[in-house]
Amino acid sequence: MIAGGPGRRGGPPVALSAAALTAVALVTLPLAYLIVRAASGGSRAWSVLERHRTLDLVLDSVGLVVAVVGAAVAIGVPLAWLVTRTDLPGRRLWAAAAALPLVIPSYVAALALLGAFGPRGMLQGALERLFGVERLPEIYGFPGAVFALTLSTYPYVFLLVAAALRGIDPGPEEAARLLGRGGLDVFRRVTLPLLRAPIAAGALLVALYTLSDFGAVSLMRYHALTRAIFLQYQTLFDRRPAAVLALVLVLLTACVLLLESRARAGSYTRSAPGAQRRPTVTPLGRWRWPALAFCTAVVGIFLAVPIAVLGYWSAQAADFGQSLSIEWGAAVNSLIASLLAAAAAAAAVLPVAFLAERYPSFWTRTLERASYASNALPGIVIALSLVFFAANYGGFVYQTLGLLVFAYVVRFFPQALAAVSASLRAVNPRLEEAARGLGRSPSAVLFSVTAPLVRPGVLAGAALVFLSAMKELPATLLLRPIGFDTLATEIWKFTALGSYSRAAPPALLLIVLSAPLVYALTARRGSQLATPG
Amino acid sequence: MPRRPPCILIAALLGLTLSGCGGDSDAGGNGRLTVYSGREEEIVEPLFQRFERQSRIDVEVRYGESAELAATISEEGEQSPADVFFAQDAGTLGAVAREGLLERLPAETLARVDPRFRDPDGRWIGTSGRARVVAYSTDELTEDELPASIWGYTDPRWKGKIGLPPTNASFQAFVSAMRLSEGEARTRTWLEGIKANKPKFYEKNLPVLEAIASGEIEVGFVNHYYLYLLKEEQPSAPVANHFLRAGDPGALVNVAGVGILEGRGNTEDAQELVDFLLSTEGQRFYATTAEEAEYPLVGGVKPRKGLPPLSELSGPDVRLGELGRELESTLELLNELGYTS
């Protein structure tokens, strides 16, 4: 925002505007579809708003979003600080482990948590043997939904904040310390205000994920807006009221976006392009033990427990004498589709982010914000909208891998956008201006100066899209070429039959395949989400 | 179904249509069918494989949830690549038929199945039956402790012990059938009585059975074959099925079925598949091989051992084809009484 700096000579290049406009037009196709459907429904479709006690549903969804965002920030921010700014033992490993729940699909997370903490789950079984405990507190409903969704989303906050912590200028913190402030005080008074933008960006991704989720809330039996949308499809086969309800989700998205803009307005941007210095390490002293306990608790509950449950189910499969075959074909398909999606998303967000950050105006910001419009929509809505457009107007594109990849880009565009925008904001525009002053053309500056500086952000954005695409299910089911099985569809194939023992191995394989990328995302020094290299 | 992922991949990458791919089955007639299947791959894939071997017709199957595939077919409209829609329940087939997307089936095909298991208009036909039952915990109950009729579960003795899936299509079909056979008032009283017993609600049938197995509840209103899926995963689960007596609204038999999409120019092959599904071999599949022990619907094919014969499960006197029209009122009733809101 401040970074762009006004007073560029002339407006943005036409090619840039055209590219950004095309990208945003394509990712907002689902919105166009919803408007067409809702408009064709007449007053009957709109009456769904009264019949379904829509206000209650909206409040329930908002309550869920508030709780999940709160939990994700409360977990993500301290974790990020611990692994980047302190002498916590083994912090590299903690950093990778804490980000890994990102790759667990939320429906698998919910199943695993129920297996562990549900009625007659593993925890209760163990407690019954030891202490005769017959009932645990009810997990279904609000607590379970918050629990499962926090697992799937806190890594967004953690990754964005950790990257920012590695990148921000340690100068102000050092000054505060020289003035006699203690470690915690410096964090609260100096570091935390600097983190407003990445926390807001992370919270935005968490909020949109929570609004769009159906898998976890349905397994936890929580009545959210998405559930009402699914009811319309599943029981009444009427797509028009469903579209009306989905438009309510879009409205909620607009509110969330407004809040996020407010929250980060006036936040800090790295102002000097000077050489990056390593931030000072805060010694934890005797606080080391509580810090370790905190990390153990988070990683234990959100990573070790689901993996243990999946491992236990896989072992059961062997007990039943089922042959444990590893679906390599599905794994290869998942990797290919997700890699293509990551590359396409990174390429598509670049013009949008560049336009909004370098030529800030009401229109360019609005364009950037508009690209978030479909992100709170459940996957089924996005899938059906693309079915509609591609089957009727897309010619040969329908049911090809290309369309599936496009669907991933539509769904996960904001994740790449958040990462790329953050890194662009951190590049001082004066560097680019200097190159222009030395006689380089705008496009030469873009390739020789800007591109190398934002590369880490682009890679990080691509990685987030890759990880999300690996676990995507609803759009994959409807849009994949026939016979194109992915790990997510393999998991679904068996959970639909209630066969957790056979669903667990592909779920574990999904985690194992994604893990190296998560490690690379968290372990690279000086080249993270929000920092220029 | 021969799988050729690399071929599919390359074709897709090049942006070619898939129909250009997999050249071993060659031109000369269609020889190729696209099926949208809301029935699970794990269960019906062997059936398609047998058909392919017999007919030399290549079958490509898109698997998904029945309702989502129905919505997909509607969105695709004229452009739908699907020739055949194989669905989990009568309601979904009815919805696609009402949009005018299904072809009328020939009389001799329709004649293979009792009229109550097919569309009165002849646009879809049942291929296997699924009976409503009361599943119960054998840890907590013996079968003779269970009420003889579904009406008995409004007794306060069952407070907190009942589980059901109010948003599930087969539960809703059962309520629709009750409204048709017993009338609006009686159905409302029953639903209110059940509600007063504070039942636990689940998303689908199988979680109801899992909850019985785990001791959360003692009885559940579900379809009969989920028990077999549960036993596959938990062989010693303390759960059994109680079949209600004939005429009881709780003994409704619903179907999974099939319909042919209109105007695809591939009707002959599609018809061959439908006839295979209704042949003695296609029907015996449910009695012998399939993981779910559904009821064969064609006369002369016996169900899995241990199941009461279909004729004893006459259920309420309603036609499945009529249930679709009732769905909206049923949903309003369930919503009003707090089952789905």
Side-chain angles (χ1 to χ4, degrees):
Chain A
M1 310 190 151
I2 304 169
R8 285 259 164 157
R9 269 159 301 166
V14 176
L16 180 67
S17 304
L21 206 61
T22 312
V24 174
L26 285 174
V27 298
T28 45
L29 272 180
L31 191 60
Y33 161 85
L34 289 180
I35 292 170
V36 169
R37 277 280 163 273
S40 73
S43 58
R44 248 182 79 71
W46 292 92
S47 73
V48 72
L49 293 179
E50 300 150 35
R51 262 186 302 153
H52 261 276
R53 303 178 194 168
T54 310
L55 188 62
D56 290 349
L57 287 173
V58 167
L59 291 179
D60 287 347
S61 281
V62 169
L64 186 66
V65 168
V66 169
V68 174
V69 167
V73 170
I75 291 168
V77 175
L79 258 184
W81 184 72
L82 284 172
V83 301
T84 54
R85 289 301 180 86
T86 70
D87 60 350
L88 182 79
R91 51 184 192 276
R92 242 359 129 52
L93 280 177
W94 287 120
L100 208 50
L102 187 66
V103 308
I104 306 175
S106 56
Y107 54 93
V108 173
L111 281 176
L113 290 177
L114 285 174
F117 304 114
R120 296 282 165 118
M122 293 172 195
L123 179 66
Q124 188 268 337
L127 291 178
E128 181 162 17
R129 253 169 282 133
L130 294 172
F131 312 107
V133 178
E134 286 193 359
R135 278 196 94 79
L136 290 177
E138 178 86 7
I139 187 172
Y140 287 110
F142 188 72
V146 174
F147 196 1
L149 284 165
T150 303
L151 182 157
S152 305
T153 58
Y154 84 83
Y156 291 121
V157 176
F158 168 72
L159 283 171
L160 289 170
V161 172
L165 275 171
R166 289 190 183 101
I168 52 179
D169 190 344
E173 293 174 341
E174 284 163 14
R177 214 169 279 118
L178 284 175
L179 291 170
R181 298 285 180 187
L184 209 63
D185 211 23
V186 173
F187 178 76
R188 210 162 43 84
R189 297 229 188 171
V190 183
T191 321
L192 205 53
L194 296 181
L195 292 177
R196 250 165 51 192
I199 292 175
L204 173 63
L205 294 181
V206 174
L208 294 178
Y209 189 106
T210 305
L211 280 176
S212 73
D213 176 79
F214 174 69
V217 294
S218 77
L219 284 166
M220 292 296 182
R221 297 180 219 149
Y222 183 70
H223 291 238
L225 201 49
T226 42
R227 205 162 154 275
I229 295 175
F230 271 76
L231 279 186
Q232 290 295 322
Y233 284 122
Q234 280 176 347
T235 55
L236 283 177
F237 308 100
D238 199 343
R239 289 155 287 142
R240 290 162 305 186
V244 172
L245 288 172
L247 282 173
V248 176
L249 268 182
V250 176
L251 266 181
L252 281 177
T253 312
C255 299
V256 172
L257 284 169
L258 232 82
L259 279 175
E260 192 247 4
S261 297
R262 283 269 178 87
R264 71 171 186 196
S267 76
Y268 170 91
T269 333
R270 182 189 182 90
S271 57
Q276 194 180 357
R277 288 180 299 146
R278 296 196 56 182
T280 26
V281 168
T282 308
L284 285 172
R286 61 198 161 84
W287 284 99
R288 178 189 305 174
W289 300 111
L292 275 175
F294 174 66
C295 293
T296 311
V298 171
V299 170
I301 292 174
F302 292 131
L303 183 67
V305 164
I307 289 185
V309 173
L310 291 173
Y312 173 76
W313 283 337
S314 302
Q316 263 188 331
D319 285 354
F320 300 153
Q322 290 157 354
S323 61
L324 229 177
S325 63
I326 295 181
E327 292 291 337
W328 292 114
V332 169
N333 287 347
S334 283
L335 286 171
I336 289 175
S338 306
L339 276 174
L340 289 173
V349 298
L350 268 176
V352 181
F354 196 74
L355 191 70
E357 295 300 330
R358 287 296 178 267
Y359 301 92
S361 73
F362 175 73
W363 292 112
T364 59
R365 297 299 296 176
T366 308
L367 193 66
E368 190 242 5
R369 301 269 101 179
S371 69
Y372 285 84
S374 334
N375 205 242
L377 297 175
I380 173 77
V381 173
I382 291 179
L384 284 176
S385 69
L386 296 185
V387 164
F388 170 71
F389 283 116
N392 291 295
Y393 310 105
F396 66 85
V397 174
Y398 190 49
Q399 299 201 346
T400 60
L401 181 58
L403 186 66
L404 180 61
V405 168
F406 178 64
Y408 290 157
V409 174
V410 171
R411 276 207 84 181
F412 307 125
F413 195 83
Q415 299 181 4
L417 190 60
V420 173
S421 297
S423 67
L424 260 176
R425 232 172 281 139
V427 174
N428 194 313
R430 278 185 215 125
L431 275 179
E432 295 159 354
E433 281 159 17
R436 286 281 279 139
L438 291 169
R440 293 288 184 97
S441 70
S443 56
V445 172
L446 185 63
F447 286 108
S448 62
V449 179
T450 318
L453 287 174
V454 299
R455 211 187 52 172
V458 175
L459 284 178
L464 285 179
V465 173
F466 175 86
L467 295 172
S468 299
M470 286 287 281
K471 61 179 181 176
E472 208 284 340
L473 180 66
T476 312
L477 271 182
L478 292 189
L479 295 171
R480 62 186 167 149
I482 287 181
F484 188 83
D485 293 330
T486 68
L487 287 174
T489 65
E490 287 296 304
I491 297 169
W492 163 81
K493 194 159 97 183
F494 298 115
T495 50
L497 290 171
S499 179
Y500 305 141
S501 62
R502 284 181 289 171
L508 283 173
L509 186 58
L510 181 65
I511 296 171
V512 168
L513 286 177
S514 311
L517 190 71
V518 172
Y519 185 77
L521 202 61
T522 52
R524 283 168 55 183
R525 197 152 39 82
S527 59
Q528 292 79 18
L529 299 183
T531 30
Chain B
M1 252 158 304
R3 292 203 177 170
R4 310 177 209 92
C7 187
I8 281 170
L9 207 62
I10 293 161
L13 276 171
L14 295 175
L16 298 172
T17 49
L18 285 170
S19 56
C21 174
D24 54 346
S25 86
D26 40 64
N30 291 310
R32 176 184 303 277
L33 268 181
T34 301
V35 178
Y36 280 14
S37 172
R39 310 228 41 202
E40 297 91 345
E41 184 170 357
E42 279 301 291
I43 295 188
V44 298
E45 198 188 15
L47 204 50
F48 288 126
Q49 280 169 349
R50 281 188 212 177
F51 173 70
E52 279 188 317
R53 274 199 301 276
Q54 255 180 37
S55 66
R56 323 231 16 108
I57 295 172
D58 253 354
V59 182
E60 290 194 323
V61 192
R62 168 173 297 281
Y63 292 98
E65 307 281 350
S66 292
E68 293 177 10
L69 289 173
T72 303
I73 289 173
S74 308
E75 289 299 359
E76 290 167 342
E78 306 266 293
Q79 302 299 321
S80 179
D83 298 304
V84 173
F85 183 33
F86 194 20
Q88 199 77 275
D89 62 293
T92 319
L93 286 159
V96 178
R98 272 197 304 282
E99 295 211 16
L101 297 169
L102 296 181
E103 204 149 281
R104 198 183 296 272
L105 296 165
E108 64 266 34
T109 303
L110 294 170
R112 292 191 60 80
V113 161
D114 189 289
R116 66 190 168 119
F117 298 133
R118 62 183 200 229
D119 179 30
D121 221 20
R123 293 185 191 276
W124 57 261
I125 185 162
T127 50
S128 57
R130 11 189 73 192
R132 297 295 297 174
V133 294
V134 177
Y136 65 98
S137 161
T138 51
D139 273 353
E140 307 289 338
L141 300 160
T142 58
E143 191 161 11
D144 46 309
E145 290 175 77
L146 297 169
S149 158
I150 199 75
W151 305 110
Y153 290 91
T154 51
D155 189 290
R157 181 221 175 296
W158 300 102
K159 189 160 244 169
K161 297 185 171 151
I162 301 174
L164 55 91
T167 58
N168 180 266
S170 45
F171 176 79
Q172 291 166 352
F174 148 71
V175 176
S176 293
M178 187 189 261
R179 288 179 43 239
L180 282 179
S181 65
E182 310 290 330
E184 207 65 48
R186 234 186 139 191
T187 307
R188 176 182 281 271
T189 313
W190 183 78
L191 285 168
E192 283 168 349
I194 295 293
K195 191 78 205 299
N197 271 342
K198 304 233 178 314
K200 293 221 166 90
F201 293 154
Y202 299 84
E203 206 66 27
K204 293 177 182 170
N205 283 297
L206 196 56
V208 175
L209 287 181
E210 286 167 351
I212 297 174
S214 73
E216 236 182 288
I217 48 174
E218 290 181 12
V219 292
F221 304 148
V222 293
N223 287 347
H224 80 278
Y225 56 88
Y226 287 96
L227 181 65
Y228 299 86
L229 296 178
L230 180 79
K231 295 273 180 171
E232 191 84 11
E233 197 77 353
Q234 308 177 31
S236 59
V239 187
N241 277 341
H242 172 62
F243 286 85
L244 293 158
R245 65 199 156 103
D248 195 292
L252 178 75
V253 178
N254 209 326
V255 299
V258 69
I260 296 177
L261 279 113
E262 202 160 63
R264 291 289 170 278
N266 209 358
T267 315
E268 254 173 60
D269 291 347
Q271 186 62 49
E272 202 173 327
L273 175 61
V274 171
D275 287 337
F276 171 79
L277 292 174
L278 294 167
S279 69
T280 308
E281 184 187 354
Q283 289 286 298
R284 211 172 262 154
F285 171 77
Y286 301 106
T288 55
T289 330
E291 215 171 302
E292 304 178 336
E294 287 174 280
Y295 277 97
L297 292 182
V298 168
V301 184
K302 284 211 180 83
R304 181 86 42 104
K305 232 180 103 198
L307 290 178
L310 196 56
S311 53
E312 280 179 23
L313 303 174
S314 45
D317 186 23
V318 288
R319 288 181 165 210
L320 292 176
E322 290 166 6
L323 297 184
R325 274 190 301 256
E326 297 300 320
L327 185 59
E328 189 140 20
S329 320
T330 298
L331 285 178
E332 259 164 41
L333 186 61
L334 289 174
N335 202 37
E336 184 198 324
L337 298 180
Y339 277 79
T340 54
S341 56

